[in-house]
């Protein structure tokens, strides 16, 4: 039986250098529950080290946390990667870390805190997570798909780090599963503004970096189970699964 799930598939934690320090796992989970979200995805910049802790913080609570990451390609395009399996996400993290250069300067870019499910600081990531990897856009999407994930072009309506703002088009050889719209534009307006992308499914997310922004953007999706596999079926409109626009 299909069920309507309220999904925010792009939320940051305090690991992202541009994320607020109040975005620690337990606080995120409680705010998401308060906003009546059913499914969320944690997508920090070029890292997944806080994902297991958000999943632990959500255990036994009425919310599902999908493992994710917001990868930055060589072209400085942001790509959301979502997985059913934390092990597949960690494999992507290894690929990304191998292609990421530079060290973080906290005084310039911000703190990159690794915080566990009971609000304890486990450490700090010293990589330049805000930077671009050496992976091309095509290599990035192919790596995600090889690891059984879905690849979504992040905030295409934003000039900075969105694929349209960076490239001006979507390359035909880059196989995105969906395109993300920011809550400031919304799905209905985006359909009017981007008729050339009518063949792509759209989702709306909060891209929250601050607690107050969680719940501002979400997508209602009909699926049977709260999984990435079902999400992919909804993107394809398979067996009744679909996005509500």
């Amino acid at each position: 039986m299909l069920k309507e799930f309220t999904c925010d598939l792009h939320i940051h934690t305090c690991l992202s250098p541009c994320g607020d320090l109040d975005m620690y796992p337990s606080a995120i989970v409680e705010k998401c529950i308060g906003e009546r979200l059913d499914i969320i995805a944690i997508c920090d910049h070029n890292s997944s080290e806080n994902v297991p802790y958000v999943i632990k913080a959500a255990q036994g609570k009425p919310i599902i946390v999908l493992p994710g990451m917001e990868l930055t390609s060589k072209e400085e395009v942001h790509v959301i990667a979502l997985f059913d399996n934390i092990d597949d996400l960690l494999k992507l993290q290894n690929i990304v870390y191998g292609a990421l250069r530079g060290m973080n300067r906290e005084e310039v870019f911000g703190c990159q805190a690794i915080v566990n499910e009971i609000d304890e600081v486990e450490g700090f990531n010293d990589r330049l997570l805000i930077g671009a990897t050496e992976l091309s856009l095509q290599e990035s999407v192919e790596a995600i798909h090889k690891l059984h994930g879905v690849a979504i072009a992040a905030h295409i309506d934003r000039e900075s780090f969105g694929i349209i703002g960076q490239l001006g088009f979507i390359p035909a050889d880059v196989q995105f599963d969906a395109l993300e719209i920011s809550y400031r534009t919304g799905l209905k307006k985006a359909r009017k503004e981007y008729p050339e992308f009518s063949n792509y499914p759209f989702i709306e997310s909060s891209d929250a970096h601050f607690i107050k922004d969680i719940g501002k953007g979400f997508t209602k999706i009909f699926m049977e189970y709260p999984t990435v596999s079902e999400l992919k079926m909804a993107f394809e409109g398979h067996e009744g699964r679909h996005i509500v626009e």
Side-chain angles (χ1 to χ4, degrees), residues 5-238:
F5 293 92
T6 302
C7 311
D8 186 349
L9 302 176
H10 187 176
I11 296 176
H12 290 264
T13 77
C14 51
L15 176 58
S16 291
C18 45
D20 190 75
L21 290 178
D22 286 341
M23 295 290 279
Y24 50 88
S26 65
I28 290 171
V29 169
E30 291 307 313
K31 175 65 172 176
C32 289
I33 292 172
E35 293 293 333
R36 298 185 178 181
L37 297 173
D38 300 307
I39 306 171
I40 64 170
I42 298 301
C43 300
D44 282 312
H45 291 293
N46 291 320
S47 185
S48 62
E49 294 187 50
N50 271 350
V51 171
Y53 297 123
V54 182
I55 291 173
K56 288 181 181 178
Q59 286 179 350
K61 298 182 178 178
I63 192 165
I64 298 296
V65 181
L66 299 177
M69 180 190 295
E70 185 174 22
L71 184 160
T72 306
S73 76
K74 181 169 61 177
E75 300 88 349
E76 297 192 337
V77 172
H78 285 181
V79 180
I80 297 169
L82 303 179
F83 300 90
D84 275 323
N85 192 316
I86 188 72
D87 291 335
D88 290 332
L89 174 61
L90 295 178
K91 289 174 184 175
L92 179 66
Q93 180 178 270
N94 288 336
I95 293 170
V96 169
Y97 281 179
L100 189 63
R101 304 290 175 254
M103 304 293 287
N104 186 46
R105 292 177 58 193
E106 186 174 325
E107 72 279 7
V108 176
F109 301 114
C111 179
Q112 299 178 160
I114 303 167
V115 180
N116 67 23
E117 72 277 13
I118 56 173
D119 307 337
E120 297 173 336
V121 176
E122 295 280 341
F124 299 89
N125 191 310
D126 60 3
R127 293 176 173 84
L128 187 62
L129 299 183
I130 201 66
T133 68
E134 295 177 345
L135 299 168
S136 71
L137 186 58
Q138 185 174 5
E139 289 171 333
S140 301
V141 172
E142 286 179 353
I144 294 165
H145 286 158
K146 285 180 181 177
L147 293 169
H148 317 294
V150 297
I152 302 169
H155 41 66
I156 68 163
D157 54 320
R158 270 181 43 190
E159 187 171 341
S160 58
F161 304 111
I163 191 167
I164 306 306
Q166 294 299 116
L167 302 183
F169 67 102
I170 298 178
D173 57 352
V174 178
Q175 303 299 310
F176 285 113
D177 297 289
L179 308 180
E180 181 195 52
I181 306 300
S182 73
Y183 68 84
R184 292 175 180 84
T185 299
L187 296 182
K188 291 184 179 179
K189 184 178 178 181
R191 283 298 182 196
K192 295 179 181 179
E193 292 189 358
Y194 301 103
E196 66 271 32
F197 302 136
S198 60
N199 58 318
Y200 286 97
F202 283 5
I203 65 166
E204 180 181 330
S205 308
S206 71
D207 189 12
H209 290 70
F210 298 86
I211 286 288
K212 65 180 177 61
D213 291 332
I214 292 175
K216 288 185 177 179
F218 55 84
T219 308
K220 290 186 178 293
I221 306 176
F222 276 89
M223 302 182 287
E224 190 168 357
Y225 304 107
T227 66
V228 168
S229 299
E230 286 276 319
L231 188 63
K232 184 173 177 58
M233 292 174 70
F235 289 164
E236 298 169 349
H238 188 59

